[in-house]
Amino acid sequence: MSSSRNHDETKARLNLETSRIRWHELQTYYARGQVVRVDQALDLLDVASELTADNRALFEQWLATGKVGDVSPDLARSWYERDAALWAVVVAPWVLVQDRSEPTDPVVH
């Protein structure tokens, strides 16, 4: 039970640290490779909480399915051109971002 309580406490703390931020303000973090894209299908706080808990198995699953990953240059350019406002939360050294402004599109490479 304590792990469930700890998970809830972590999520509550992360919720207080989550905010909207313009993509232009994240350029330094993006250049350092510290920005992690989170698909709209996932709960940003759940992902941040699992990262805090170092849940590698779940992260590997999300990475494999493309639900979590790097921000592609094309996506970064699109966000830059429209100065997208993204939801973000920091789990040092990572900045997890989620764009909730558009419906989820399949990843096209």
Side-chain angles (χ1 to χ4, degrees):
M1 284 213 181
S2 65
S3 69
S4 176
R5 190 178 85 222
N6 289 343
H7 179 76
D8 291 344
E9 289 173 1
T10 299
K11 241 179 123 169
R13 179 182 53 80
L14 290 166
N15 186 44
L16 294 174
E17 298 171 7
T18 302
S19 65
R20 288 178 64 85
I21 187 169
R22 294 273 175 200
W23 179 245
H24 288 184
E25 297 174 54
L26 293 169
Q27 293 304 292
T28 302
Y29 302 97
Y30 175 68
R32 291 182 192 149
Q34 295 175 310
V35 178
V36 178
R37 175 194 46 78
V38 176
D39 191 274
Q40 291 179 20
L42 297 177
D43 182 305
L44 182 62
L45 291 177
D46 283 340
V47 175
S49 182
E50 295 301 337
L51 181 59
T52 300
D54 197 25
N55 188 342
R56 287 178 184 244
L58 188 52
F59 255 82
E60 287 173 5
Q61 180 183 5
W62 285 335
L63 286 166
T65 60
K67 298 281 187 196
V68 171
D70 294 333
V71 176
S72 71
D74 287 342
L75 182 57
R77 192 173 310 107
S78 169
W79 285 348
Y80 188 87
E81 287 171 358
R82 65 183 174 96
D83 193 17
L86 308 171
W87 283 99
V89 61
V90 175
V91 178
W94 309 109
V95 180
L96 280 63
V97 297
Q98 189 174 55
D99 184 1
R100 297 187 196 155
S101 64
E102 298 176 359
T104 304
D105 291 326
V107 177
V108 178
H109 294 281

